[in-house]
Amino acid sequence: MLVARDVSKSYGRQTVLSHFDLTVDEGEVVCLIGPSGSGKSTFLRCVNHLEPIDSGEVSVAGHLVGYRRTGARLRELSPREIAAQRSDIGMVFQGFNLFPHLRVLDNLTLAPRKVRGVDAATAETRARAALERVGLAGKAAAYPRRLSGGEQQRVGIARALMMEPRLMLFDEPTSALDPERVGEVLDVLRDLAAGGMTMLVVTHEMEFARAVSHRVAFLDGGSVVECGPPGQIFDSPAEERTRSFLRRLG
Ligand code: ADP
Ligand code: MG
């Protein structure tokens, strides 16, 4: 579902991703862990067309997101191709990014109606089903400010699901939450994983990563240092950098 090969990306003189390789198979949950500044968010942004890559190759569901071979020009995708690819990808950030002036239901139906031309009744039916899926069936008429952080994040997830993505990207979805609200959001991620959703999750929740992911990738200095089943990465990491990162977490 996702293939990244030898990806490089710099901001000015600072190399943020280099020789970055990662695959995520259909139905697989991969957690991305690593120190702050190691390039986790940048990679997700590259996958979702929010940032161009400098070289290498990224494809989602067999469609090229971006590539450049030495000496060859980066192929520019048309805005239409980019829109089509992005609608295959759902992204949930640390912040909740809901439209504050819209009720929960309208937050969910906006993009399907405007981008996909879904009629209002169908969009509403789908929105109610998505809210049910994240345990918020009763909140359709509420404004975001009336919801807890955990509820807002679950609305954010429901909103991403409205576009029927084939790949979900999560960037520290629980980092902005009060500790007592983290569990309810992780439970939603667990349910999605159990339902077969393909997911790439940047997280500091190591217990979650261990319990839910098929593979864990440890990222440091802009590349994947090692990647494997959670038991292998957490219990017998091959690389010293992974060991010292995990040791620092305690
Ligand atoms: P992580 O998510 O692993 O904490 P990031 O991908 O956010 O790491 O950042 C990796 C590095 O890239 C950091 O050194 C950060 O300062 C830098 N960086 C990220 N975004 C930008 C940007 N838009 N412009 C310049 N530097 C950036
Ligand atoms: Mg980040």
Side-chain angles (χ1 to χ4, degrees):
M1 188 60 70
L2 168 65
V3 178
R5 263 195 223 108
D6 200 22
V7 173
S8 299
K9 163 95 192 151
S10 300
Y11 290 112
R13 286 189 179 168
Q14 187 194 359
T15 300
V16 178
L17 301 175
S18 74
H19 303 295
F20 189 105
D21 291 296
L22 186 72
T23 60
V24 182
D25 292 335
E26 187 157 12
E28 198 180 25
V29 179
V30 174
C31 282
L32 214 49
I33 64 170
S36 176
S38 56
K40 304 181 298 293
S41 297
T42 301
F43 178 67
L44 294 194
R45 293 169 59 80
C46 289
V47 172
N48 204 19
H49 293 279
L50 296 169
E51 294 283 351
I53 63 174
D54 298 333
S55 66
E57 194 169 316
V58 177
S59 62
V60 173
H63 301 293
L64 220 45
V65 171
Y67 76 112
R68 177 190 272 171
R69 300 212 170 79
T70 319
R73 254 189 87 225
L74 184 70
R75 182 168 99 83
E76 301 279 351
L77 298 175
S78 70
R80 182 187 293 266
E81 285 174 303
I82 289 177
Q85 288 189 15
R86 288 187 69 181
S87 74
D88 275 343
I89 304 171
M91 184 148 178
V92 175
F93 301 91
Q94 183 176 331
F96 316 124
N97 308 108
L98 300 177
F99 302 112
H101 60 292
L102 294 181
R103 293 174 193 274
V104 164
L105 187 78
D106 300 318
N107 262 279
L108 266 62
T109 57
L110 186 70
R113 293 181 62 186
K114 299 290 177 208
V115 179
R116 290 269 177 87
V118 175
D119 68 86
T122 305
E124 177 168 342
T125 304
R126 275 176 33 196
R128 292 191 185 279
L131 288 173
E132 185 99 31
R133 222 167 146 184
V134 300
L136 290 175
K139 300 291 185 184
Y143 283 96
R145 66 174 176 278
R146 293 302 190 87
L147 303 179
S148 71
E151 289 169 339
Q152 290 185 46
Q153 190 59 301
R154 285 147 67 198
V155 172
I157 295 169
R159 186 173 62 178
L161 292 174
M162 288 292 289
M163 300 301 272
E164 299 172 319
R166 301 182 64 186
L167 170 68
M168 286 283 283
L169 307 175
F170 293 90
D171 194 355
E172 302 195 31
T174 61
S175 294
L177 299 178
D178 295 333
E180 67 270 22
R181 289 292 183 170
V182 168
E184 68 191 58
V185 172
L186 294 181
D187 285 346
V188 169
L189 267 65
R190 252 187 212 100
D191 287 349
L192 285 179
M197 179 64 78
T198 309
M199 299 168 36
L200 181 58
V201 186
V202 174
T203 187
H204 296 296
E205 298 288 337
M206 298 302 156
E207 274 174 47
F208 169 83
R210 184 189 277 276
V212 177
S213 60
H214 299 97
R215 285 184 301 138
V216 174
F218 171 65
L219 185 55
D220 192 22
S223 52
V224 175
V225 173
E226 63 182 306
C227 182
Q232 178 189 318
I233 300 297
F234 291 124
D235 300 330
S236 49
E239 301 291 331
E240 175 51 33
R241 278 194 284 171
T242 314
R243 278 197 289 275
S244 73
F245 172 75
L246 293 171
R247 220 181 292 123
R248 268 178 277 130
L249 292 179

Short mmCIF file of all heavy atoms in Angstrom, two decimals, residues 130-181:
data_model
loop_
_atom_site.label_atom_id
_atom_site.label_comp_id
_atom_site.label_asym_id
_atom_site.label_seq_id
_atom_site.Cartn_x
_atom_site.Cartn_y
_atom_site.Cartn_z
N ALA A 130 -19.98 6.88 10.63
CA ALA A 130 -18.59 7.12 11.04
C ALA A 130 -18.53 7.52 12.52
O ALA A 130 -17.64 7.09 13.25
CB ALA A 130 -17.96 8.20 10.16
N LEU A 131 -19.51 8.32 12.96
CA LEU A 131 -19.53 8.73 14.37
C LEU A 131 -19.80 7.53 15.28
O LEU A 131 -19.22 7.41 16.36
CB LEU A 131 -20.59 9.83 14.60
CG LEU A 131 -20.21 11.20 14.03
CD1 LEU A 131 -21.38 12.17 14.16
CD2 LEU A 131 -18.97 11.76 14.74
N GLU A 132 -20.66 6.67 14.81
CA GLU A 132 -20.94 5.43 15.54
C GLU A 132 -19.64 4.63 15.72
O GLU A 132 -19.34 4.13 16.81
CB GLU A 132 -21.93 4.61 14.72
CG GLU A 132 -22.42 3.34 15.36
CD GLU A 132 -23.79 3.54 16.00
OE1 GLU A 132 -24.59 4.37 15.49
OE2 GLU A 132 -24.04 2.88 17.00
N ARG A 133 -18.86 4.57 14.64
CA ARG A 133 -17.62 3.81 14.65
C ARG A 133 -16.63 4.32 15.69
O ARG A 133 -15.82 3.55 16.20
CB ARG A 133 -17.00 3.93 13.25
CG ARG A 133 -16.44 2.65 12.72
CD ARG A 133 -16.15 2.81 11.25
NE ARG A 133 -14.96 2.02 10.90
CZ ARG A 133 -14.41 2.02 9.71
NH1 ARG A 133 -14.92 2.74 8.74
NH2 ARG A 133 -13.34 1.28 9.48
N VAL A 134 -16.64 5.62 15.96
CA VAL A 134 -15.70 6.17 16.95
C VAL A 134 -16.39 6.43 18.29
O VAL A 134 -15.85 7.12 19.16
CB VAL A 134 -15.01 7.47 16.44
CG1 VAL A 134 -14.23 7.19 15.16
CG2 VAL A 134 -16.02 8.59 16.21
N GLY A 135 -17.61 5.89 18.45
CA GLY A 135 -18.30 5.97 19.73
C GLY A 135 -18.88 7.33 20.05
O GLY A 135 -19.02 7.70 21.22
N LEU A 136 -19.24 8.11 19.00
CA LEU A 136 -19.74 9.47 19.25
C LEU A 136 -21.08 9.71 18.56
O LEU A 136 -21.38 10.83 18.12
CB LEU A 136 -18.71 10.50 18.77
CG LEU A 136 -17.43 10.58 19.59
CD1 LEU A 136 -16.45 11.56 18.94
CD2 LEU A 136 -17.72 11.02 21.03
N ALA A 137 -21.90 8.67 18.51
CA ALA A 137 -23.19 8.79 17.81
C ALA A 137 -24.04 9.93 18.37
O ALA A 137 -24.79 10.57 17.63
CB ALA A 137 -23.95 7.46 17.91
N GLY A 138 -23.89 10.22 19.65
CA GLY A 138 -24.73 11.25 20.27
C GLY A 138 -24.24 12.67 20.09
O GLY A 138 -24.88 13.61 20.56
N LYS A 139 -23.12 12.87 19.41
CA LYS A 139 -22.51 14.21 19.36
C LYS A 139 -22.64 14.91 18.01
O LYS A 139 -21.99 15.93 17.78
CB LYS A 139 -21.01 14.10 19.71
CG LYS A 139 -20.72 13.54 21.09
CD LYS A 139 -21.13 14.50 22.18
CE LYS A 139 -20.73 13.96 23.55
NZ LYS A 139 -21.21 14.83 24.63
N ALA A 140 -23.49 14.40 17.13
CA ALA A 140 -23.57 14.95 15.77
C ALA A 140 -23.88 16.44 15.75
O ALA A 140 -23.37 17.18 14.91
CB ALA A 140 -24.62 14.18 14.96
N ALA A 141 -24.71 16.90 16.69
CA ALA A 141 -25.15 18.29 16.65
C ALA A 141 -24.27 19.23 17.48
O ALA A 141 -24.48 20.44 17.51
CB ALA A 141 -26.60 18.39 17.14
N ALA A 142 -23.26 18.68 18.15
CA ALA A 142 -22.43 19.51 19.03
C ALA A 142 -21.41 20.32 18.24
O ALA A 142 -20.99 19.93 17.15
CB ALA A 142 -21.71 18.61 20.04
N TYR A 143 -21.01 21.46 18.80
CA TYR A 143 -19.89 22.21 18.25
C TYR A 143 -18.60 21.68 18.87
O TYR A 143 -18.61 21.25 20.04
CB TYR A 143 -20.04 23.71 18.53
CG TYR A 143 -21.03 24.36 17.61
CD1 TYR A 143 -22.35 24.54 18.00
CD2 TYR A 143 -20.65 24.76 16.33
CE1 TYR A 143 -23.29 25.12 17.14
CE2 TYR A 143 -21.57 25.33 15.45
CZ TYR A 143 -22.88 25.51 15.87
OH TYR A 143 -23.79 26.06 15.01
N PRO A 144 -17.49 21.69 18.12
CA PRO A 144 -16.24 21.11 18.62
C PRO A 144 -15.84 21.62 20.00
O PRO A 144 -15.35 20.85 20.82
CB PRO A 144 -15.22 21.52 17.56
CG PRO A 144 -16.02 21.59 16.29
CD PRO A 144 -17.37 22.11 16.71
N ARG A 145 -16.06 22.92 20.29
CA ARG A 145 -15.58 23.46 21.58
C ARG A 145 -16.28 22.81 22.77
O ARG A 145 -15.79 22.90 23.89
CB ARG A 145 -15.73 24.98 21.63
CG ARG A 145 -17.16 25.46 21.63
CD ARG A 145 -17.26 26.97 21.82
NE ARG A 145 -18.65 27.39 21.71
CZ ARG A 145 -19.28 27.60 20.57
NH1 ARG A 145 -18.63 27.46 19.42
NH2 ARG A 145 -20.56 27.95 20.55
N ARG A 146 -17.43 22.19 22.53
CA ARG A 146 -18.15 21.54 23.61
C ARG A 146 -17.63 20.14 23.89
O ARG A 146 -18.12 19.45 24.78
CB ARG A 146 -19.65 21.46 23.29
CG ARG A 146 -20.34 22.79 23.25
CD ARG A 146 -20.16 23.50 24.60
NE ARG A 146 -21.01 24.69 24.70
CZ ARG A 146 -22.26 24.67 25.13
NH1 ARG A 146 -22.84 23.55 25.47
NH2 ARG A 146 -22.95 25.79 25.19
N LEU A 147 -16.67 19.69 23.08
CA LEU A 147 -16.16 18.32 23.22
C LEU A 147 -14.82 18.32 23.93
O LEU A 147 -14.06 19.28 23.84
CB LEU A 147 -15.99 17.67 21.84
CG LEU A 147 -17.23 17.62 20.94
CD1 LEU A 147 -16.86 16.98 19.61
CD2 LEU A 147 -18.37 16.87 21.61
N SER A 148 -14.51 17.22 24.61
CA SER A 148 -13.19 17.05 25.19
C SER A 148 -12.17 16.85 24.07
O SER A 148 -12.53 16.58 22.92
CB SER A 148 -13.18 15.82 26.10
OG SER A 148 -13.24 14.65 25.30
N GLY A 149 -10.90 16.98 24.41
CA GLY A 149 -9.84 16.74 23.42
C GLY A 149 -9.94 15.35 22.81
O GLY A 149 -9.77 15.18 21.60
N GLY A 150 -10.21 14.37 23.64
CA GLY A 150 -10.30 13.00 23.14
C GLY A 150 -11.46 12.84 22.16
O GLY A 150 -11.34 12.17 21.13
N GLU A 151 -12.58 13.51 22.49
CA GLU A 151 -13.74 13.44 21.59
C GLU A 151 -13.44 14.17 20.28
O GLU A 151 -13.79 13.69 19.20
CB GLU A 151 -14.97 14.03 22.28
CG GLU A 151 -15.50 13.13 23.40
CD GLU A 151 -16.55 13.80 24.27
OE1 GLU A 151 -16.61 15.06 24.31
OE2 GLU A 151 -17.31 13.07 24.92
N GLN A 152 -12.77 15.33 20.39
CA GLN A 152 -12.44 16.06 19.17
C GLN A 152 -11.52 15.23 18.27
O GLN A 152 -11.68 15.21 17.05
CB GLN A 152 -11.75 17.38 19.51
CG GLN A 152 -12.70 18.39 20.14
CD GLN A 152 -12.03 19.74 20.36
OE1 GLN A 152 -11.36 20.27 19.49
NE2 GLN A 152 -12.22 20.30 21.54
N GLN A 153 -10.58 14.53 18.89
CA GLN A 153 -9.68 13.72 18.08
C GLN A 153 -10.44 12.56 17.42
O GLN A 153 -10.17 12.21 16.28
CB GLN A 153 -8.50 13.21 18.93
CG GLN A 153 -7.37 12.56 18.15
CD GLN A 153 -6.74 13.49 17.13
OE1 GLN A 153 -7.40 13.99 16.23
NE2 GLN A 153 -5.44 13.71 17.26
N ARG A 154 -11.41 12.00 18.13
CA ARG A 154 -12.21 10.92 17.54
C ARG A 154 -13.07 11.46 16.39
O ARG A 154 -13.27 10.77 15.39
CB ARG A 154 -13.07 10.25 18.61
CG ARG A 154 -12.23 9.33 19.51
CD ARG A 154 -12.73 9.28 20.94
NE ARG A 154 -14.02 8.65 21.06
CZ ARG A 154 -14.83 8.79 22.12
NH1 ARG A 154 -14.45 9.53 23.14
NH2 ARG A 154 -15.99 8.18 22.16
N VAL A 155 -13.54 12.70 16.51
CA VAL A 155 -14.26 13.32 15.38
C VAL A 155 -13.29 13.48 14.20
O VAL A 155 -13.65 13.23 13.05
CB VAL A 155 -14.86 14.69 15.78
CG1 VAL A 155 -15.42 15.40 14.54
CG2 VAL A 155 -15.94 14.53 16.84
N GLY A 156 -12.06 13.88 14.51
CA GLY A 156 -11.05 14.02 13.46
C GLY A 156 -10.83 12.70 12.71
O GLY A 156 -10.69 12.68 11.49
N ILE A 157 -10.82 11.62 13.46
CA ILE A 157 -10.64 10.30 12.84
C ILE A 157 -11.87 9.95 12.00
O ILE A 157 -11.75 9.50 10.86
CB ILE A 157 -10.38 9.23 13.93
CG1 ILE A 157 -9.05 9.51 14.63
CG2 ILE A 157 -10.39 7.83 13.30
CD1 ILE A 157 -8.81 8.67 15.88
N ALA A 158 -13.06 10.21 12.56
CA ALA A 158 -14.30 9.95 11.81
C ALA A 158 -14.32 10.76 10.51
O ALA A 158 -14.72 10.27 9.46
CB ALA A 158 -15.52 10.28 12.67
N ARG A 159 -13.85 12.00 10.61
CA ARG A 159 -13.84 12.85 9.41
C ARG A 159 -12.91 12.27 8.35
O ARG A 159 -13.23 12.27 7.15
CB ARG A 159 -13.42 14.28 9.78
CG ARG A 159 -13.54 15.23 8.62
CD ARG A 159 -13.29 16.65 9.01
NE ARG A 159 -11.94 16.86 9.52
CZ ARG A 159 -11.46 18.04 9.89
NH1 ARG A 159 -12.24 19.12 9.82
NH2 ARG A 159 -10.24 18.16 10.35
N ALA A 160 -11.75 11.78 8.78
CA ALA A 160 -10.83 11.16 7.82
C ALA A 160 -11.46 9.91 7.19
O ALA A 160 -11.29 9.65 6.00
CB ALA A 160 -9.51 10.82 8.50
N LEU A 161 -12.21 9.17 7.98
CA LEU A 161 -12.83 7.93 7.46
C LEU A 161 -13.90 8.21 6.42
O LEU A 161 -14.20 7.37 5.58
CB LEU A 161 -13.46 7.13 8.61
CG LEU A 161 -12.48 6.53 9.62
CD1 LEU A 161 -13.25 5.89 10.77
CD2 LEU A 161 -11.58 5.50 8.94
N MET A 162 -14.49 9.40 6.46
CA MET A 162 -15.56 9.76 5.52
C MET A 162 -15.10 9.66 4.07
O MET A 162 -15.89 9.43 3.18
CB MET A 162 -16.02 11.20 5.78
CG MET A 162 -16.83 11.38 7.03
SD MET A 162 -18.42 10.58 6.94
CE MET A 162 -19.30 11.62 5.77
N MET A 163 -13.80 9.87 3.83
CA MET A 163 -13.30 9.83 2.46
C MET A 163 -12.91 8.41 2.05
O MET A 163 -12.31 8.21 1.00
CB MET A 163 -12.13 10.81 2.28
CG MET A 163 -12.49 12.26 2.59
SD MET A 163 -13.83 12.91 1.56
CE MET A 163 -12.89 13.51 0.15
N GLU A 164 -13.23 7.45 2.90
CA GLU A 164 -12.94 6.04 2.62
C GLU A 164 -11.49 5.82 2.19
O GLU A 164 -11.21 5.29 1.12
CB GLU A 164 -13.91 5.52 1.56
CG GLU A 164 -15.35 5.62 2.05
CD GLU A 164 -16.39 5.31 0.98
OE1 GLU A 164 -16.19 5.75 -0.18
OE2 GLU A 164 -17.36 4.64 1.31
N PRO A 165 -10.57 6.25 3.03
CA PRO A 165 -9.15 6.15 2.68
C PRO A 165 -8.68 4.71 2.65
O PRO A 165 -9.24 3.85 3.34
CB PRO A 165 -8.44 6.92 3.81
CG PRO A 165 -9.35 6.77 4.98
CD PRO A 165 -10.74 6.79 4.40
N ARG A 166 -7.66 4.45 1.84
CA ARG A 166 -7.06 3.12 1.81
C ARG A 166 -5.88 3.04 2.76
O ARG A 166 -5.41 1.97 3.09
CB ARG A 166 -6.61 2.81 0.38
CG ARG A 166 -7.79 2.87 -0.59
CD ARG A 166 -7.37 2.54 -1.98
NE ARG A 166 -6.92 1.15 -2.04
CZ ARG A 166 -6.39 0.61 -3.12
NH1 ARG A 166 -6.24 1.34 -4.21
NH2 ARG A 166 -6.00 -0.64 -3.12
N LEU A 167 -5.38 4.22 3.14
CA LEU A 167 -4.23 4.30 4.04
C LEU A 167 -4.50 5.43 5.03
O LEU A 167 -4.90 6.52 4.63
CB LEU A 167 -2.96 4.62 3.23
CG LEU A 167 -1.69 4.98 4.00
CD1 LEU A 167 -1.16 3.77 4.77
CD2 LEU A 167 -0.62 5.51 3.04
N MET A 168 -4.30 5.14 6.32
CA MET A 168 -4.47 6.19 7.33
C MET A 168 -3.11 6.52 7.93
O MET A 168 -2.36 5.62 8.34
CB MET A 168 -5.40 5.72 8.45
CG MET A 168 -6.88 5.67 8.07
SD MET A 168 -7.68 7.30 8.02
CE MET A 168 -7.90 7.62 9.77
N LEU A 169 -2.81 7.82 7.98
CA LEU A 169 -1.57 8.29 8.59
C LEU A 169 -1.93 9.02 9.89
O LEU A 169 -2.80 9.89 9.88
CB LEU A 169 -0.86 9.29 7.66
CG LEU A 169 -0.59 8.85 6.22
CD1 LEU A 169 0.00 10.02 5.42
CD2 LEU A 169 0.37 7.66 6.21
N PHE A 170 -1.27 8.65 10.96
CA PHE A 170 -1.51 9.31 12.24
C PHE A 170 -0.21 9.90 12.73
O PHE A 170 0.80 9.18 12.84
CB PHE A 170 -2.00 8.30 13.29
CG PHE A 170 -3.35 7.72 13.00
CD1 PHE A 170 -3.48 6.56 12.26
CD2 PHE A 170 -4.50 8.33 13.49
CE1 PHE A 170 -4.74 6.02 12.00
CE2 PHE A 170 -5.75 7.79 13.24
CZ PHE A 170 -5.87 6.63 12.49
N ASP A 171 -0.21 11.20 13.05
CA ASP A 171 1.00 11.83 13.57
C ASP A 171 0.79 12.18 15.04
O ASP A 171 0.16 13.19 15.36
CB ASP A 171 1.36 13.07 12.76
CG ASP A 171 2.78 13.54 13.06
OD1 ASP A 171 3.44 12.96 13.96
OD2 ASP A 171 3.24 14.49 12.39
N GLU A 172 1.28 11.35 15.92
CA GLU A 172 1.15 11.54 17.37
C GLU A 172 -0.28 11.93 17.75
O GLU A 172 -0.51 13.00 18.33
CB GLU A 172 2.14 12.60 17.85
CG GLU A 172 3.58 12.23 17.53
CD GLU A 172 4.58 13.08 18.30
OE1 GLU A 172 4.26 13.49 19.43
OE2 GLU A 172 5.68 13.31 17.78
N PRO A 173 -1.24 11.06 17.43
CA PRO A 173 -2.65 11.43 17.61
C PRO A 173 -3.06 11.64 19.07
O PRO A 173 -4.11 12.22 19.31
CB PRO A 173 -3.41 10.24 17.00
CG PRO A 173 -2.45 9.08 17.10
CD PRO A 173 -1.09 9.69 16.90
N THR A 174 -2.24 11.19 20.01
CA THR A 174 -2.64 11.34 21.42
C THR A 174 -1.74 12.30 22.19
O THR A 174 -1.94 12.49 23.39
CB THR A 174 -2.64 9.97 22.14
OG1 THR A 174 -1.32 9.42 22.12
CG2 THR A 174 -3.59 9.00 21.48
N SER A 175 -0.77 12.93 21.51
CA SER A 175 0.22 13.73 22.24
C SER A 175 -0.36 14.99 22.87
O SER A 175 0.18 15.50 23.84
CB SER A 175 1.38 14.11 21.33
OG SER A 175 2.08 12.96 20.97
N ALA A 176 -1.45 15.51 22.28
CA ALA A 176 -2.01 16.76 22.82
C ALA A 176 -3.10 16.51 23.86
O ALA A 176 -3.74 17.45 24.32
CB ALA A 176 -2.56 17.61 21.67
N LEU A 177 -3.30 15.24 24.22
CA LEU A 177 -4.44 14.91 25.08
C LEU A 177 -4.05 14.81 26.55
O LEU A 177 -2.91 14.44 26.88
CB LEU A 177 -5.03 13.56 24.65
CG LEU A 177 -5.57 13.48 23.22
CD1 LEU A 177 -6.07 12.07 22.95
CD2 LEU A 177 -6.68 14.50 23.00
N ASP A 178 -5.02 15.10 27.42
CA ASP A 178 -4.83 14.79 28.84
C ASP A 178 -4.67 13.28 28.96
O ASP A 178 -5.31 12.53 28.23
CB ASP A 178 -6.06 15.22 29.64
CG ASP A 178 -6.25 16.73 29.60
OD1 ASP A 178 -5.25 17.45 29.44
OD2 ASP A 178 -7.40 17.19 29.71
N PRO A 179 -3.81 12.86 29.91
CA PRO A 179 -3.54 11.42 30.03
C PRO A 179 -4.79 10.55 30.12
O PRO A 179 -4.84 9.47 29.53
CB PRO A 179 -2.72 11.33 31.33
CG PRO A 179 -2.14 12.69 31.52
CD PRO A 179 -3.07 13.66 30.87
N GLU A 180 -5.82 11.04 30.80
CA GLU A 180 -7.01 10.19 30.97
C GLU A 180 -7.83 10.09 29.69
O GLU A 180 -8.78 9.32 29.62
CB GLU A 180 -7.87 10.67 32.15
CG GLU A 180 -8.54 12.01 31.97
CD GLU A 180 -7.67 13.17 32.45
OE1 GLU A 180 -6.43 13.02 32.53
OE2 GLU A 180 -8.23 14.24 32.74
N ARG A 181 -7.46 10.85 28.66
CA ARG A 181 -8.19 10.82 27.39
C ARG A 181 -7.45 10.03 26.31
O ARG A 181 -7.95 9.86 25.20
CB ARG A 181 -8.41 12.26 26.89
CG ARG A 181 -9.42 13.03 27.73
CD ARG A 181 -10.80 12.44 27.53
NE ARG A 181 -11.82 13.18 28.25
CZ ARG A 181 -13.13 12.97 28.07
NH1 ARG A 181 -13.54 12.05 27.22
NH2 ARG A 181 -14.00 13.65 28.76
#
